Amino acid sequence: MTPPSDITLAGRIERVTYYNRENHFTIARLRSDENQRIITIKGTMPDPGVGDAIEVRGRWETHARYGQQLRFTGFRELLPATVDGIGNYLKSGFIKGVGPRLVDRIIGHFKADTLTVIETQPERLTEVAGIGKKIARRIVDAWQSHHAARQLMRFLQKAGVSTAHTARLLREYGSNAIDILCNDPYRVAEDIPRIGFGIADAIVRHADTPVDEMDRARACMFHLFEQAVDQGHAYIARDRLFDRCREDFDVDPETGTAALDHMVQAGELVVASEGDGASAPLVFPRGLHQAETVIARRISAMQAIPLAETPPDSRLITREVLERLSITLSVQQEEILSRMLAHKVSVITGGPGTGKTTLIRSITAVMEGLKRRVMLAAPTGRAARRLSEVTGRPAATLHKALGYNLADGRFERTEDDPLAADVVVVDEASMVDTLLMAQLIRAVPITATLILVGDVFQLPSVGPGNVLADLIRSRTIMTFELTEIFRQDELSAIVVNAHRVRNGRPPVIVPPDDPDALSEFYFVEQADPERVVQTVVNLCQREIPRRFRMTPIRDIQVLTPMHRGPVGTLNLNRVLQEALNPTGEQVAVMGSRFRVGDKVIHLRNNYRKEVFNGDIGIVDSIDMENERAEVDYDGRKVAYDFVELDELGLAYAISVHKSQGSEYPAVVIPLLTQHYIMLQRNLLYTALTRAKQLVVMIGTTKALDVALRNDRPRQRRSMLAQRLKGENSGQ
């Protein structure tokens, strides 16, 4: 069957139905010049305006709901040629501060050449009465700003580069974007992570001009290390690095070697022969090599210094815990606490319901009884707040405790200005990546005690490394594993099934004898993704609130392994927003619509607002006149200007990774074979352990079996465990 050919249509935009400023995706109604018919067009176009004259090139397609549409892959602006047309164009409002009378004077002077003068001879604008250099500059700046995106988009289209990158390139380079892409393309690989190398390489290939092969090889390596770090790795074996350069980007070994040598001399990379004897030398980004080295050396130094005082005996420990907390420790907890206090650095790990929190409370009570200064910290704001709630003592995020300075991206606390603490306890330590752990270990006083608490079986940190697992695997740090599930939790289906999943066994779902009785754990068998979506909506909107007396938005959290697809976060957030919060004051930004009452998640750390990546709140108000919204984070209202709303996303459904460090009354988990690439045992285990009262899984037993069998998540390449062993043996 012959594929449909491209068609070209010219016309004027009658209405802009939808526009996403982040990627310039546009849906508009176009009145065709040929027959005055109004058609729907959709594609990528920056700043579409009603009345714009354009020519689009694309293909017809039929939408099931909206009928025939033209999906365009290219467009060009048709500038007016007549004096009247030029006047209407300049009076459309894109030149701020230049009114209709001044436009008339400009056109009266230059007539049909007006646009050519503005474009190519802007200095001549001062010939017009009333226009000095300042106003002329304003007109030129407005013209360039208005046309920069469209010029860049045409340039990218010709080079075969996705025009979705237009906004990102303009934010980085402004009106100089095309000049930089032409004259120094591989600079983009360093300036714009993840996407820069692909853009630069496509432009160079399209230009078909001689390229500095050394520049290209360096950009190639920079790109490969970006990918590796994004996947959690700290290094790439040198031979593998050269193989990837040759196989993926046709960089010959000689050029690759020269580029690597150059990056090593520049201090960007470090080559280290520290494998297991059979492997090639390893290549690290300098920052990660330094971080691993700092962690290993600093821990070794801390362990070499004896405790300042003799650890308390078990009777004193028992008395302090009983008097201060009114609790009695189990035999295992008492033994661990007694032994742990004899070590400068230690790890406490264990699954849900095994008493990690009780042990943290006990450590704090005993140390404070001994007049030691205790600092409690966690990687995220949510985890820090929860730690503070369960201990009744202040707890801070690691970034705040370490004095992160947003202005220069540095930490104020170092070995030269250490933390004012004798004991540092870090909860949710599995979430701490290599770079942050290095900052922490530098700031902990060399004479202090460091205690890391976390569930090593949960998902590893988002950032590079697998620090908690590496510390345990090194066998150089005293590690205590809590294994006993306490009596109050023994009958909890959530805790029991979480431990079963951790051990690779399927969860037990026992229907209650009474059909009206409530359970803690449900599995709903459903294979069709659309039916899964309907079931998720029904559970969140009606069934769970009715049967368990929970508030849909505040108490129920949907956790899903993926972002895309019918049961990914993007689609689930859309349908859940319409089901749970369909009306009210709203603002559209970056392709998202936020309404008063929406559940939202903060997407990156904002130390000025004291809101952190993963914090979840409710939109409290939207002020359209002042372009400001307020979000309620557990009683603390935080203001956002509309231009800052790109820091937020809808949070009716979030990824399992984003849920780490949080707990929710009820968790709903879609689990389908479409999630195959993400079906891992530790991901499922992490999702289950987020729930306090209720878990509902919706999907297939096949997907569940895949997740349970997949106990080999992608191995992260790190040398931290080996470094710790080396430091411990005196190497």
Side-chain angles (χ1 to χ4, degrees):
M1 182 177 179
T2 304
S5 58
D6 283 357
I7 66 167
T8 301
L9 287 176
R12 289 186 180 274
I13 294 177
E14 291 278 316
R15 179 162 64 90
V16 178
T17 306
Y18 174 80
Y19 178 58
N20 184 336
R21 288 193 176 278
E22 182 69 14
N23 58 20
H24 300 305
F25 180 73
T26 299
I27 301 175
R29 301 282 281 169
L30 183 78
R31 184 179 293 276
S32 168
D33 287 346
E34 182 178 353
N35 54 20
Q36 296 300 300
R37 175 188 169 200
I38 294 180
I39 62 173
T40 297
I41 61 171
K42 61 181 182 181
T44 304
M45 177 190 301
D47 297 322
V50 173
D52 284 359
I54 60 172
E55 182 182 86
V56 292
R57 184 183 69 258
R59 296 179 180 181
W60 291 110
E61 63 181 31
T62 302
H63 190 281
R65 181 174 177 183
Y66 300 110
Q68 194 176 46
Q69 301 175 336
L70 182 72
R71 178 178 287 277
F72 64 89
T73 55
F75 83 97
R76 67 185 181 95
E77 186 175 19
L78 302 175
L79 294 177
T82 66
V83 170
D84 287 343
I86 293 170
N88 292 332
Y89 180 66
L90 293 179
K91 291 174 184 177
S92 64
F94 72 86
I95 304 178
K96 303 299 181 185
V98 176
R101 291 183 181 179
L102 188 54
V103 169
D104 286 340
R105 287 206 300 272
I106 295 172
I107 293 173
H109 186 80
F110 296 114
K111 298 188 171 45
D113 294 330
T114 297
L115 299 184
T116 302
V117 169
I118 295 174
E119 177 80 32
T120 63
Q121 297 175 292
E123 68 279 357
R124 290 189 60 197
L125 287 170
T126 56
E127 297 174 10
V128 179
I131 296 183
K133 290 184 178 180
K134 184 176 181 180
I135 294 178
R137 182 74 260 168
R138 183 190 304 160
I139 293 171
V140 172
D141 288 346
W143 176 272
Q144 291 178 343
S145 175
H146 185 67
H147 291 277
R150 298 186 175 190
Q151 291 169 348
L152 177 58
M153 189 167 286
R154 286 197 295 272
F155 175 82
L156 295 177
Q157 286 174 341
K158 290 179 180 178
V161 176
S162 171
T163 54
H165 300 314
T166 302
R168 182 68 180 86
L169 288 164
L170 286 174
R171 281 201 303 271
E172 187 71 31
Y173 303 124
S175 59
N176 295 322
I178 294 177
D179 285 342
I180 291 171
L181 290 171
C182 289
N183 299 317
D184 191 10
Y186 288 109
R187 168 182 167 183
V188 184
E190 297 186 31
D191 292 344
I192 305 181
R194 297 163 189 84
I195 64 172
F197 180 78
I199 293 172
D201 220 36
I203 289 170
V204 169
R205 288 198 307 272
H206 173 78
D208 198 26
T209 55
V211 63
D212 187 320
E213 291 297 335
M214 178 71 78
D215 282 350
R216 182 174 183 271
R218 289 177 59 243
C220 166
M221 289 186 179
F222 193 90
H223 174 66
L224 291 175
F225 275 102
E226 275 184 343
Q227 290 184 328
V229 171
D230 282 348
Q231 294 167 5
H233 304 308
Y235 67 83
I236 305 175
R238 188 180 64 183
D239 289 353
R240 179 57 181 155
L241 177 63
F242 290 156
D243 287 345
R244 288 287 307 278
C245 287
R246 184 182 67 254
E247 294 166 2
D248 297 352
F249 305 107
D250 200 27
V251 175
D252 63 78
E254 293 77 13
T255 304
T257 300
L260 177 59
D261 290 344
H262 184 279
M263 296 178 81
V264 169
Q265 291 172 10
E268 297 169 327
L269 299 176
V270 174
V271 178
S273 298
E274 48 192 355
D276 57 10
S279 61
L282 311 179
V283 185
F284 293 78
R286 184 186 61 177
L288 282 169
H289 187 270
Q290 289 179 339
E292 286 193 357
T293 302
V294 165
I295 294 169
R297 290 179 179 174
R298 188 80 175 176
I299 287 178
S300 178
M302 290 178 67
Q303 291 176 317
I305 298 176
L307 292 167
E309 299 179 20
T310 303
D313 60 29
S314 58
R315 287 175 298 177
L316 175 60
I317 292 173
T318 302
R319 185 176 71 245
E320 288 289 341
V321 172
L322 186 59
E323 288 179 357
R324 291 174 175 268
L325 304 178
S326 300
I327 60 175
T328 302
L329 297 176
S330 70
V331 173
Q332 185 187 50
Q333 286 177 321
E334 188 175 303
E335 179 186 359
I336 288 176
L337 185 54
S338 179
R339 294 176 60 200
M340 184 191 60
L341 296 179
H343 296 273
K344 294 291 297 301
V345 183
S346 57
V347 169
I348 300 171
T349 187
T354 56
K356 295 190 299 295
T357 300
T358 298
L359 213 48
I360 292 175
R361 294 176 63 204
S362 302
I363 292 165
T364 306
V366 172
M367 289 300 187
E368 289 182 346
L370 296 172
K371 308 300 182 186
R372 308 273 181 86
R373 297 170 299 170
V374 179
M375 190 196 82
L376 302 177
T380 68
R382 295 164 295 158
R385 283 194 296 273
R386 190 156 59 88
L387 181 59
S388 181
E389 290 167 2
V390 299
T391 61
R393 289 167 173 79
T397 65
L398 285 171
H399 280 80
K400 187 170 184 178
L402 296 172
Y404 182 74
N405 188 316
L406 183 63
D408 59 14
R410 295 180 179 273
F411 292 86
E412 295 174 357
R413 297 292 189 182
T414 65
E415 55 268 72
D416 297 326
D417 185 16
L419 297 166
D422 302 308
V423 181
V424 177
V425 181
V426 179
D427 195 17
E428 297 286 357
S430 64
M431 299 173 66
V432 182
D433 64 33
T434 302
L435 297 170
L436 184 55
M437 180 58 72
Q439 292 296 152
L440 170 65
I441 205 71
R442 290 180 62 203
V444 174
I446 198 75
T447 56
T449 296
L450 174 63
I451 301 169
L452 303 172
V453 185
D455 186 344
V456 74
F457 195 74
Q458 287 189 19
L459 292 171
S461 58
V462 175
N466 200 4
V467 175
L468 188 64
D470 284 346
L471 295 178
I472 295 171
R473 194 170 69 249
S474 74
R475 298 183 180 275
T476 63
I477 295 168
M478 199 65 196
T479 300
F480 303 95
E481 183 175 7
L482 292 161
T483 57
E484 180 183 353
I485 301 176
F486 289 99
R487 188 173 304 279
Q488 63 267 31
D489 288 320
E490 282 178 348
L491 299 179
S492 166
I494 296 174
V495 171
V496 169
N497 282 329
H499 282 272
R500 289 180 64 87
V501 167
R502 179 175 181 174
N503 294 319
R505 300 163 63 193
V508 175
I509 299 99
V510 180
D513 296 331
D514 181 354
D516 294 326
L518 301 178
S519 178
E520 288 187 344
F521 204 101
Y522 295 88
F523 185 89
V524 180
E525 183 79 28
Q526 180 56 256
D528 179 65
E530 295 300 332
R531 294 290 299 276
V532 170
V533 172
Q534 295 170 13
T535 304
V536 169
V537 172
N538 183 53
L539 285 167
C540 295
Q541 188 176 32
R542 287 180 287 273
E543 290 302 314
I544 294 177
R546 179 179 65 83
R547 291 173 62 83
F548 292 86
R549 299 184 181 278
M550 291 184 181
T551 303
I553 293 178
R554 292 187 180 273
D555 294 339
I556 305 169
Q557 185 60 60
V558 178
L559 302 180
T560 182
M562 302 283 281
H563 290 295
R564 302 197 179 277
V567 288
T569 58
L570 300 177
N571 184 59
L572 285 174
N573 271 315
R574 182 182 61 80
V575 296
L576 286 169
Q577 182 189 45
E578 291 305 312
L580 302 179
N581 194 34
T583 61
E585 188 75 53
Q586 72 175 15
V587 58
V589 61
M590 300 299 183
S592 297
R593 296 181 184 273
F594 298 110
R595 296 177 181 143
V596 172
D598 272 340
K599 179 192 283 189
V600 292
I601 185 169
H602 194 85
L603 300 174
R604 52 182 177 267
N605 293 337
N606 187 321
Y607 299 96
R608 180 174 55 84
K609 294 183 185 293
E610 294 189 357
V611 187
F612 302 96
N613 184 6
D615 283 351
I616 289 179
I618 304 293
V619 178
D620 185 72
S621 65
I622 294 175
D623 183 347
M624 298 301 292
E625 182 177 349
N626 295 304
E627 297 191 345
R628 173 170 285 203
E630 277 194 339
V631 177
D632 185 334
Y633 292 100
D634 297 324
R636 188 173 75 91
K637 294 182 181 179
V638 177
Y640 293 81
D641 292 332
F642 282 0
V643 295
E644 299 175 305
L645 290 179
D646 62 342
E647 296 185 17
L648 297 178
L650 292 174
Y652 298 98
I654 63 175
S655 69
V656 180
H657 283 85
K658 284 286 188 184
S659 74
Q660 285 185 271
S662 293
E663 287 185 339
Y664 315 97
V667 165
V668 176
I669 308 168
L671 200 69
L672 294 172
T673 51
Q674 282 87 344
H675 297 148
Y676 190 87
I677 193 171
M678 295 296 289
L679 291 178
Q680 298 174 357
R681 192 190 301 177
N682 61 348
L683 184 138
L684 177 58
Y685 172 78
T686 300
L688 298 184
T689 54
R690 302 307 92 203
K692 293 191 287 187
Q693 301 172 36
L694 174 67
V695 169
V696 183
M697 298 172 63
I698 311 156
T700 64
T701 53
K702 181 178 180 181
L704 177 60
D705 290 341
V706 170
L708 292 172
R709 289 197 304 270
N710 185 7
D711 191 29
R712 294 187 299 173
R714 183 175 295 172
Q715 185 66 39
R716 293 186 166 200
R717 294 189 290 270
S718 161
M719 288 299 295
L720 180 57
Q722 288 87 335
R723 293 187 201 283
L724 287 161
K725 291 177 183 177
E727 291 291 336
N728 195 59
S729 64
Q731 295 177 3

